Amino acid sequence: EEDDAGAQFVLTPYGWRTVKEAGGLTQEWKKSVDAYVAHFKACLDMEREAEREAVEEKVKKRTTRQLQDEGIGVSGLYAQFDATNGRITLWPEGWRLPYLSEIKWGRHVLLSTVNDGVQLDDASKTIMGEVESIQKDQMVLVTTFERLPGSGSRETYRIDLGPNIVANKRIDAMLEELQRCLGVNQAKDPRDAIQKLNYNANLCGLLLPGAPL
């Protein structure tokens, strides 16, 4: 009988198994997994587009005052960009930031100039950042963009609540891991060769126990 070191492994719907443990199972199930992932990725793309359109509709149909009253936007801020650390500090002059119920730590927001407004298709006019901190006198964002929108010469800026990309990224990451077919039978402390092959730390916390695949 082959030991773990010399055993031949095949990929099953539950992770890697030895040929003997797989019972001669073929890989036909892979087509179903690929179809499953493709279906939900298409749905995810449509959801992203729908959220994007919802954001555009809000900023076009509402005044900045209305957006502020709803807790999803504020305008008239000055900004300083720390390119080394990717941090943008925004502050009002002569007034305090209002309470923004929907803009808080961890939320993704859109940063645009007051003059140009929100233009999601133009990174020179609108960029995205994540709220790192928010206080009465300033807001700090972190961003992967390398420059502020606009000319940068004493521009004033507006902040608008952006699409919910956190949830989308989480689902997208789960689908990517599922498509790699590394299994969902997760041993907390993998010991033998089978458990180590099945173990996929990237799936931990993404799937609930017993989630249907």
Side-chain angles (χ1 to χ4, degrees), residues 183-203:
V184 295
N185 188 10
Q186 303 284 293
K188 291 183 179 179
D189 184 21
R191 298 177 184 276
D192 59 34
I194 294 295
Q195 289 181 339
K196 288 178 181 178
L197 283 169
N198 283 347
Y199 185 71
N200 180 5
N202 293 329
L203 277 175

Side-chain angles (χ1 to χ4, degrees), residues 28-48:
E28 289 301 314
W29 56 268
K30 184 68 167 62
K31 296 178 182 178
S32 298
V33 173
D34 290 343
Y36 179 95
V37 171
H39 169 76
F40 283 101
K41 276 187 172 289
C43 293
L44 196 59
D45 289 340
M46 289 188 288
E47 184 177 351
R48 286 195 189 100

Side-chain angles (χ1 to χ4, degrees), residues 15 19 21 24 30-31 45 57 60 62 82 100 124 127 132 148 157 164 170 191 194 196-197 200:
V19 173
E21 289 173 324
K30 184 68 167 62
K31 296 178 182 178
D45 289 340
E57 184 178 9
K60 287 179 179 178
R62 291 170 172 78
D82 177 2
L100 301 170
S124 68
I127 64 174
E132 184 178 71
L148 290 173
Y157 295 88
N164 183 12
R170 188 179 180 86
R191 298 177 184 276
I194 294 295
K196 288 178 181 178
L197 283 169
N200 180 5

Side-chain angles (χ1 to χ4, degrees), residues 34-74:
D34 290 343
Y36 179 95
V37 171
H39 169 76
F40 283 101
K41 276 187 172 289
C43 293
L44 196 59
D45 289 340
M46 289 188 288
E47 184 177 351
R48 286 195 189 100
E49 186 59 30
E51 288 197 14
R52 179 188 177 92
E53 291 174 357
V55 169
E56 290 180 327
E57 184 178 9
K58 281 183 181 179
V59 298
K60 287 179 179 178
K61 291 188 175 181
R62 291 170 172 78
T63 65
T64 53
R65 181 64 188 182
Q66 288 174 321
L67 294 171
Q68 181 176 307
D69 290 342
E70 293 179 28
I72 58 175
V74 64

